[in-house]
Amino acid sequence: MLTITQALYDQIVAHSRADHPDEACGVVAGPAGTGRAERFIPMLNAARSPTFYEFDSTDLLKLYREMDDRDEEPVIIYHSHTATEAYPSRTDVTYANEPGAHYVLVCTADADDAGDFQFRSYRIVGGEITEEEVEVVEAYPPAA
């Protein structure tokens, strides 16, 4: 299950809507080993496409170095789909190389009469897609 604060949820949705009609993409980092999404990092879709996203390789390398310096890891990797449901495409599965991350997809089009967006989370490991529940909380409980 993905547990995410309302503030982070809102930031991901806002970024996805702002970049529409192109796909948005980004990362939410957290302290290594905690699984706790804390730091919102919107990224530029280098492909600037409504049907495909791609992290800029220079920006991604810089981000991973920064996370390493801060003892963080990618907890959430997110992107939007602008005209299809929030379900990983074959390309999304191919690029899913963080087995510990939650892959969040936001649909910015009303593709199934479920409203103007969908927010769904998946685990993608070894090409296998598993949808997971999303729990939105006001704040995380204090760390033990």
Side-chain angles (χ1 to χ4, degrees):
M1 174 171 56
L2 169 63
T3 301
I4 185 171
T5 64
Q6 185 68 58
L8 287 170
Y9 178 98
D10 292 346
Q11 287 176 300
I12 292 171
V13 171
H15 181 212
S16 298
R17 287 180 168 162
D19 280 13
H20 188 88
D22 289 340
E23 289 193 2
C25 58
V27 173
V28 182
T34 67
R36 197 167 167 143
E38 293 184 355
R39 188 167 64 97
F40 176 70
I41 308 155
M43 303 285 283
L44 173 69
N45 178 355
R48 295 195 171 137
S49 168
T51 59
F52 180 75
Y53 84 97
E54 181 177 30
F55 290 118
D56 177 271
S57 59
T58 303
D59 290 346
L60 195 58
L61 179 60
K62 180 181 170 190
L63 171 62
Y64 271 82
R65 285 181 175 160
E66 182 181 293
M67 286 190 299
D68 191 49
D69 289 345
R70 295 171 65 125
D71 197 26
E72 293 177 325
E73 62 190 2
V75 177
I76 296 172
I77 298 172
Y78 73 88
H79 76 280
S80 61
H81 283 183
T82 61
T84 59
E85 73 172 315
Y87 188 83
S89 68
R90 279 182 277 185
T91 303
D92 297 338
V93 173
T94 300
Y95 287 119
N97 59 4
E98 288 289 345
H102 302 271
Y103 286 88
V104 166
L105 280 97
V106 177
C107 175
T108 56
D110 186 0
D112 67 354
D113 296 326
D116 60 346
F117 73 91
Q118 300 168 2
F119 188 105
R120 296 167 71 183
S121 183
Y122 303 89
R123 294 293 190 149
I124 304 173
V125 179
E128 186 175 322
I129 303 165
T130 306
E131 187 165 7
E132 61 185 350
E133 185 179 337
V134 176
E135 178 184 21
V136 180
V137 296
E138 284 305 311
Y140 294 122

